[in-house]
Amino acid sequence: MIEVARKKQGGNLRFLFMDINDLDFAGQFDVVFSNATLHWVKDHQRLLRNMRRALCKDGIVRFNFGGDGNCFHFFKVIRESMELIRFSGYFLDFEWPWYMPSVEEYKGLVEESSFCNAQVWGENADRFFPDAEAMIRWVDQPSLVPFLARVAERDKVSFREFVVERMIEETRQADGRCFETFRRINLLARK
């Protein structure tokens, strides 16, 4: 889902809440911007096509989202958790919730989308959480949400506890902080 701000006559902004896949605007925006969310969208060919169509002539698109190498420790731990016998049945037909391509893969998608002056680059935004509690808050929201939705109520607490304990083991540094990789794909382009 996405919130779209549109300028109404008189200079007031109007917000629309809609599925980004249903974006059907044509030539109505000067800028399309997103920060660290579009890894939740699976079909970026469609996304780029919709964004390009929504832009006015010479409009700009600028966004970043999780790319290859993002959340290395979390993905290791969550896959380990999903493979445990007591939880594996919940994930038999599970579809991975994120799209996190390499920079080169994304450059190819952008080239196909007919944007002008397109620049695609990677960014290392690795993060140290000040302590285990800060790491746990990040794990709880939004990282665990799509996984807990699959787990039966009776097993949610034990699944979460396993993930949290393993994340602290995997990420805690000697100084008490916790470290996670955050890798971004950036796009700046013009219609």
Side-chain angles (χ1 to χ4, degrees):
M1 301 302 277
I2 186 173
E3 256 189 79
V4 179
R6 296 182 62 199
K7 198 173 231 185
K8 279 177 61 175
Q9 289 182 343
N12 296 324
L13 287 179
R14 180 176 68 149
F15 290 90
L16 304 173
F17 185 67
M18 63 189 302
D19 186 323
I20 198 163
N21 292 311
D22 296 333
L23 201 68
D24 62 355
F25 300 101
Q28 297 182 33
F29 299 95
D30 295 316
V31 176
V32 174
F33 173 82
S34 177
N35 182 38
T37 59
L38 294 176
H39 46 270
W40 291 93
V41 175
K42 296 290 195 95
D43 186 352
H44 274 241
Q45 282 183 315
R46 181 179 183 180
L47 171 72
L48 290 166
R49 186 175 56 246
N50 289 346
M51 286 184 173
R52 188 174 185 288
R53 188 178 63 244
L55 285 169
C56 299
K57 184 179 184 305
D58 295 323
I60 296 172
V61 61
R62 172 66 174 104
F63 59 75
N64 72 60
F65 64 97
D68 186 41
N70 196 49
C71 301
F72 173 82
H73 298 101
F74 179 75
F75 291 168
K76 176 184 175 187
V77 167
I78 203 68
R79 286 186 172 111
E80 179 183 320
S81 306
M82 293 166 63
E83 292 172 3
L84 291 173
I85 292 173
R86 65 184 186 209
F87 303 127
S88 62
Y90 297 123
F91 299 101
L92 295 176
D93 61 347
F94 183 73
E95 183 179 327
W96 198 247
W98 302 291
Y99 170 66
M100 296 185 186
S102 69
V103 171
E104 291 308 312
E105 178 184 342
Y106 209 70
K107 281 180 181 178
L109 282 178
V110 172
E111 285 173 10
E112 293 172 11
S113 69
S114 302
F115 277 104
C116 298
N117 304 321
Q119 299 171 44
V120 177
W121 69 96
E123 175 186 0
N124 179 339
D126 293 350
R127 179 174 172 195
F128 283 94
F129 293 86
D131 54 35
E133 289 303 314
M135 170 63 77
I136 292 168
R137 284 191 300 276
W138 174 77
V139 166
D140 280 337
Q141 187 66 21
S143 304
L144 264 182
V145 172
F147 302 93
L148 283 176
R150 299 292 299 249
V151 176
E153 201 61 44
R154 69 180 178 273
D155 291 328
K156 285 185 191 296
V157 170
S158 60
F159 182 81
R160 179 197 172 272
E161 287 175 353
F162 181 84
V163 171
V164 166
E165 287 173 17
R166 287 289 298 120
M167 278 299 291
I168 293 169
E169 289 171 14
E170 284 289 320
T171 65
R172 183 175 274 158
Q173 308 296 296
D175 63 3
R177 297 182 303 165
C178 294
F179 172 81
E180 182 58 283
T181 61
F182 288 91
R183 304 299 161 81
R184 300 282 183 253
I185 301 285
N186 287 272
L187 171 65
L188 173 62
R190 188 174 295 278
K191 182 174 179 180

